Amino acid sequence: MAHEYDLVVLGGGTAGYVAAIKASQLGLKTAVVEKFKLGGTCLHKGCIPTKSMLKSAEVINIMKNAEKYGIDTHTPTFTIGNIVERKNDVVSKMFSGIEYLMKKNKIDIFQGTGRILGPSIFSPMAGTIAVEDPHDEEAESEILVNQNVLISTGSVPAELPFLPFDSKLILSSDDMMNLQSVPEEFGIIGGGVIGLEFASLMNDLGSNVTVIEAGSQVIPHEDKDTADALKKSLEKKGIAFKIGMSLSEDDISLNEDHAEIKLGDESFKFDKVLVAIGRKANINDIGLQNTKARTESGIIQTNEFYQTKDSHIYAVGDCIGHLQLAHAATKEAITAVEHMADKNPIIMDYNNVPRCIYTSPEAAAIGETEQSLKEQNIEYDVHKVPMAAIGKAVIGGDSHGFGKIITDPVNKDILGVQLIGENVTELINEVSLAKFLDASALELGSAVHAHPSISEILMELGLDAEGVAIHV
């Protein structure tokens, strides 16, 4: 059966459903094709469920360290099953909300595998979507004829060629969402954002965690000061790090109930191993070969409005290889939809996109790092303020972090900010607004900030960039 739409969205994850809602608001008849569940990885296997589990771990950690707050320490009891059940409840509530929004905005949902067709009897141009029933291979495909296509098929966990996922001993981040027990010895290959968040989680749940990173620092693309401070904080909690350790097939031995990994002259046994080396675009078998769209290094190439070489076919999110962040993907989606609706969207500046790490302690950043500016031969000034100077951070019991601001030495524009400490994943949004409004460091520092609040560190950073900080 054939249906006609102004826009068909291929993939109902965060970017996909947001694009559909925006398109409906702009008067476009819209359909979404999703083979799993609306919300995609972010809702079901990523952002939301991991943060739910991290919140449970945070409560456990606070109870373990109650003496820091003048309260007798209490050793909490828990089961991983209850933590997973709470996570499932959170996800279920959010999923119900998305389903409601789809109905409210009169968006049609097609459950199944969508593939892009080339020019055919349905349309003289590529882009018609054929949707296959995932439960009945013999069923006739639904045909979605359209004026525009938005590809938002996301990404999947990348695996090592010599260490494929088996969901039992060798785990992906997807597998972590249904963990049935807390392993005594837990190995993590990859010291990026995903690896460190799970390291923090599993440490709080009681595992002995070892993180293996091939590069010279954890979170390789972030500021070195932040990376070193975060590693030090996690080491203080008991997490072990093996940095600069590249693995090969010869270094790994798999047994029925454990994996043995050789690191230099030492061998380590792990009850389970999480491979967290990144994610790869999920663009196989979606019919790209039937279009003019081009790929490079496994990602779809687009212009600043997220158009492919077929101007009516757009792509956003993880599959285009910019920042693999849900909030970046949703902004890309809105830009793409506004462009196809001739609304002159604001082109996204990726230097204004916050980057957050939900470990304990948290880390957050926006804009440039010292390393990236050095690589571009750009002059800069840098100022740091310790969290120990901020009363609310001291009250919270974690004042070992810092704030760091990088500014233009001439006009004092904010080039980048890095934060590590309690609630900094919330604070970074204030800097995002400041950068969006092109505020200077002095303007950030001159805004009145509530006392006591951790946000005062941003005020002190802004003032310190002008040499007039009060508390440092």
Side-chain angles (χ1 to χ4, degrees):
M1 180 181 294
H3 311 264
E4 293 189 5
Y5 293 95
D6 297 312
L7 169 64
V8 174
V9 181
L10 193 58
T14 306
Y17 81 74
V18 168
I21 292 171
K22 187 63 179 180
S24 178
Q25 290 173 344
L26 294 175
L28 303 181
K29 185 181 179 183
T30 304
V32 173
V33 180
E34 171 57 48
K35 67 179 180 180
F36 177 55
K37 287 183 178 181
L38 292 171
T41 294
C42 179
L43 176 57
H44 299 282
K45 302 175 183 178
C47 315
I48 300 301
T50 57
K51 305 315 171 281
S52 172
M53 295 175 75
L54 281 163
K55 183 62 180 181
S56 297
E58 176 189 343
V59 173
I60 291 171
N61 189 48
I62 289 173
M63 293 175 71
K64 285 180 179 178
N65 296 280
E67 61 185 15
K68 289 171 56 177
Y69 307 96
I71 299 169
D72 291 340
T73 298
H74 175 72
T75 302
T77 58
F78 67 92
T79 66
I80 188 64
N82 287 341
I83 292 174
V84 170
E85 184 178 351
R86 178 184 184 272
K87 175 266 295 183
N88 291 340
D89 288 342
V90 170
V91 170
S92 180
K93 290 176 183 176
M94 300 295 291
F95 178 60
S96 295
I98 295 173
E99 289 187 310
Y100 164 75
L101 291 172
M102 295 295 102
K103 293 178 181 178
K104 175 186 175 183
N105 288 280
K106 297 180 174 58
I107 297 163
D108 292 339
I109 309 299
F110 290 85
Q111 193 79 35
T113 301
R115 292 187 180 86
I116 305 170
L117 303 179
S120 65
I121 59 172
F122 302 106
S123 174
M125 60 184 184
T128 296
I129 305 294
V131 184
E132 295 181 1
D133 188 330
H135 307 297
D136 186 355
E137 295 181 358
E138 302 299 322
E140 182 179 349
S141 295
E142 300 274 11
I143 302 297
L144 311 184
V145 184
N146 57 76
Q147 297 300 312
N148 296 282
V149 175
L150 180 68
I151 302 170
S152 56
T153 49
S155 62
V156 295
E159 61 183 4
L160 290 166
F162 53 84
L163 196 62
F165 303 127
D166 62 13
S167 300
K168 296 179 181 178
L169 181 60
I170 309 302
L171 310 180
S172 70
S173 55
D174 290 355
D175 298 321
M176 293 295 293
M177 295 301 92
N178 296 300
L179 202 62
Q180 296 179 349
S181 62
V182 177
E184 184 174 348
E185 300 293 334
F186 191 70
I188 299 177
I189 300 174
V193 174
I194 296 173
L196 293 193
E197 287 187 353
F198 279 114
S200 181
L201 169 67
M202 297 309 294
N203 171 262
D204 285 342
L205 294 182
S207 288
N208 296 317
V209 179
T210 301
V211 177
I212 303 165
E213 167 57 42
S216 60
Q217 69 173 54
V218 296
I219 45 173
H221 302 296
E222 292 297 343
D223 179 79
K224 188 176 188 303
D225 285 348
T226 303
D228 290 346
L230 185 55
K231 175 175 174 285
K232 184 177 180 180
S233 291
L234 294 175
E235 283 177 327
K236 188 176 180 180
K237 294 177 62 175
I239 297 172
F241 287 88
K242 303 296 180 181
I243 306 299
M245 294 286 183
S246 296
L247 297 176
S248 69
E249 186 175 5
D250 295 336
D251 297 318
I252 299 172
S253 176
L254 300 182
N255 298 279
E256 185 175 347
D257 59 352
H258 71 274
E260 189 168 343
I261 300 180
K262 186 177 180 182
L263 300 173
D265 296 329
E266 296 182 89
S267 289
F268 297 82
K269 289 184 178 180
F270 300 110
D271 302 312
K272 291 187 184 296
V273 175
L274 167 66
V275 177
I277 58 171
R279 299 180 66 86
K280 60 181 182 179
N282 186 26
I283 58 174
N284 291 333
D285 199 28
I286 64 171
L288 283 180
Q289 72 279 6
N290 298 322
T291 75
K292 296 177 184 177
R294 296 290 176 262
T295 63
E296 184 176 323
S297 301
I299 57 177
I300 300 173
Q301 302 298 294
T302 69
N303 64 13
E304 68 271 30
F305 297 111
Y306 308 108
Q307 291 172 292
T308 68
K309 290 295 184 181
D310 266 321
S311 60
H312 64 293
I313 300 178
Y314 295 69
V316 298
D318 286 5
C319 66
I320 67 171
H322 291 308
L323 293 175
Q324 290 188 329
L325 301 169
H327 47 284
T330 57
K331 199 64 177 178
E332 291 166 354
I334 290 172
T335 299
V337 171
E338 288 182 340
H339 185 260
M340 65 180 71
D342 298 323
K343 295 299 181 181
N344 298 316
I346 299 173
I347 296 173
M348 182 150 76
D349 182 350
Y350 288 93
N351 270 327
N352 291 347
V353 178
R355 308 182 299 274
C356 298
I357 306 174
Y358 296 85
T359 46
S360 177
E362 294 182 343
I366 194 168
E368 304 281 1
T369 65
E370 287 194 67
Q371 294 92 316
S372 66
L373 290 169
K374 288 176 182 176
E375 290 169 1
Q376 299 172 71
N377 293 316
I378 296 175
E379 295 293 324
Y380 65 90
D381 288 334
V382 60
H383 299 267
K384 290 177 71 174
V385 172
M387 282 289 183
I390 307 302
K392 189 67 179 294
V394 176
I395 291 168
D398 184 9
S399 57
H400 300 292
F402 64 84
K404 177 176 179 179
I405 191 169
I406 305 172
T407 59
D408 184 297
V410 177
N411 59 27
K412 301 301 181 182
D413 280 349
I414 302 168
L415 301 178
V417 169
Q418 291 84 39
L419 303 168
I420 179 168
E422 184 180 2
N423 291 329
V424 297
T425 59
E426 300 292 336
L427 299 189
I428 200 66
N429 295 302
E430 181 180 337
V431 188
S432 176
L433 178 61
K435 282 181 61 61
F436 182 76
L437 297 176
D438 200 25
S440 67
L442 181 59
E443 288 171 320
L444 178 66
S446 298
V448 178
H449 288 69
H451 176 78
S453 69
I454 297 176
S455 66
E456 287 178 281
I457 195 167
L458 298 178
M459 179 178 68
E460 294 291 348
L461 282 171
L463 294 175
D464 196 44
E466 289 287 348
V468 292
I470 299 299
H471 293 95
V472 290

